[in-house]
Amino acid sequence: MLLVTGGAGFIGSNVVAALNEAGRSDVVVCDLLGTEGKWRNLAKRQLVDIVPPAELPDWLKGRKLEAMIHLGAISATTATDGDLVFETNFRLSMRLLDWCTMNAVPFIYASSAATYGDGETGFGDDASLPALKKLRPMNLYGWSKHMFDLAVAARVANGAPLPPQWAGLKLFNVFGPNEYHKGSMMSVLARRFDDVRAGRVVQLFKSHREGIEDGDQRRDFIYVDDVVRVILWLLATPSVSGLFNVGTGKARSFRDLMLAAYAALGTRPNIEYIDMPESIRDSYQYFTQSEVDRLCRAGYNGGFTTLEDAVKAYVGDYLDRPDRFR
């Protein structure tokens, strides 16, 4: 069997969908469905079981797994409960890493571009312990992910035991179907699409940094299909281990993102720019762009979808349809 933690969430449910589409129904999801309709992310899927996180340690006893894909986390960059975030994102991850090590099970996990902080030191994909120690995440979520990356890197540096395959994925700005339960953490495209379609004004932040135009704050937007493709490639390539950036390698503006949505619908843009709240101005990132050299050198050649093609697919196949779920 394959275990996908966070399998009812955004990226996890897309991984489960891709596994089903590839003929795999021997998939177990570890997640909480809650009361916000997250079950709809799995409504079209075939599964062996859905295991609550609290029951996972007992469920794992005596099990044999082909691989563990660990995507479960508290992923809100606005999270403030340090004890809960650390327990969920670090300590649980360590227990799962130890289990995979002891049972010789491949372990693929989600890290985050939030580990890079404000990007002052760049977004290079040097996964060595000295390089990682220079990073300064700006929020609790990024710090918790960074702590786990450091723990894994320390084991590598010390020659300590690890699973037969391990891979950490520093995910950049992922968007796509099944992100609808994420509330304020949804992509701007998903949050504003109904306004775009209805012709209502779409608000983007003004720039408060000299030399950067309003709406020209940039992110490395990557379509969820590309992330899933990397994960499936890793599952099929057990000789590859390491910590990798997963982004397109090309930063694009929020204005580009929304203009692509208007283009996908064939409608006239209606964008206005508003002041950024003072509470986030000092910590706001104006630029993220992954370096994916290590992933490509490891043999990945699946490529990445352009922003315009990704938005067109997202709008046409999901957002502009009565059923938006994959």
Side-chain angles (χ1 to χ4, degrees):
M1 292 185 295
L2 291 164
L3 175 66
V4 182
T5 74
F10 167 36
I11 299 173
S13 65
N14 277 276
V15 170
V16 172
L19 290 170
N20 273 187
E21 290 160 7
R24 298 294 299 262
S25 59
D26 54 342
V27 179
V28 176
V29 162
C30 174
D31 211 331
L32 293 173
L33 298 180
T35 59
E36 303 301 317
K38 198 161 69 169
W39 67 272
R40 295 186 184 278
N41 288 346
L42 295 173
K44 302 171 185 177
R45 308 277 67 92
Q46 184 176 0
L47 304 168
V48 174
D49 199 0
I50 300 176
V51 181
E55 297 179 16
L56 186 59
D58 286 337
W59 184 89
L60 283 170
K61 291 177 181 177
R63 298 280 178 178
K64 293 183 179 180
L65 295 178
E66 182 178 330
M68 183 183 297
I69 305 167
H70 179 40
L71 306 176
I74 295 174
S75 59
T77 57
T78 54
T80 58
D81 188 334
D83 297 311
L84 181 61
V85 169
F86 191 76
E87 174 64 31
T88 303
N89 293 0
F90 179 80
R91 298 190 72 218
L92 173 60
S93 297
M94 290 298 296
R95 290 193 290 271
L96 296 180
L97 175 68
D98 288 341
W99 187 91
C100 287
T101 300
M102 289 186 293
N103 291 276
V105 172
F107 181 73
I108 298 169
Y109 75 92
S111 181
S112 172
T115 58
Y116 287 111
D118 63 5
E120 184 178 343
T121 58
F123 301 93
D125 53 0
D126 185 344
S128 68
L129 193 57
L132 292 176
K133 286 182 176 179
K134 295 177 182 178
L135 301 183
R136 295 293 181 268
M138 296 173 68
N139 54 57
L140 178 59
Y141 164 68
W143 172 74
S144 68
K145 288 293 188 179
H146 181 55
M147 289 291 288
F148 186 67
D149 290 342
L150 284 172
V152 176
R155 292 191 181 192
V156 173
N158 296 328
L162 283 164
Q165 179 191 25
W166 66 271
L169 307 180
K170 290 202 174 194
L171 304 175
F172 279 68
N173 286 71
V174 189
F175 69 102
N178 294 9
E179 61 173 317
Y180 321 119
H181 64 283
K182 293 172 66 69
S184 64
M185 300 308 296
M186 277 192 293
S187 67
V188 173
L189 175 56
R191 291 203 311 272
R192 299 290 179 255
F193 179 76
D194 288 340
D195 292 330
V196 171
R197 185 169 56 184
R200 295 188 292 267
V201 66
V202 170
Q203 296 179 331
L204 296 178
F205 286 143
K206 291 180 180 179
S207 171
H208 296 270
R209 186 172 294 181
E210 188 175 346
I212 298 177
E213 296 180 1
D214 294 341
D216 200 39
Q217 302 93 331
R218 298 184 175 230
R219 296 286 186 274
D220 191 334
F221 297 107
I222 179 169
Y223 197 43
V224 69
D225 282 6
D226 293 345
V227 174
V228 171
R229 196 177 300 117
V230 171
I231 291 172
L232 295 188
W233 173 76
L234 284 165
L235 287 175
T237 318
S239 60
V240 173
S241 292
L243 181 61
F244 303 102
N245 281 342
V246 180
T248 66
K250 295 180 180 179
R252 299 292 300 274
S253 71
F254 284 98
R255 182 174 59 245
D256 289 340
L257 180 69
M258 299 316 299
L259 289 177
Y262 284 107
L265 289 173
T267 57
R268 184 178 177 179
N270 184 12
I271 300 173
E272 73 173 16
Y273 300 97
I274 61 172
D275 286 332
M276 187 182 298
E278 291 189 14
S279 60
I280 65 172
R281 285 185 195 179
D282 292 340
S283 61
Y284 188 81
Q285 282 184 306
Y286 274 73
F287 183 86
T288 65
Q289 179 173 281
S290 67
E291 294 181 16
V292 292
D293 294 350
R294 291 191 70 249
L295 184 64
C296 294
R297 287 198 304 270
Y300 182 72
N301 60 3
F304 301 100
T305 311
T306 66
L307 181 68
E308 285 74 16
D309 286 346
V311 171
K312 183 178 180 181
Y314 190 13
V315 169
D317 295 342
Y318 301 100
L319 289 177
D320 198 31
R321 295 195 175 202
D323 182 359
R324 295 182 170 181
F325 292 87
R326 180 175 182 181

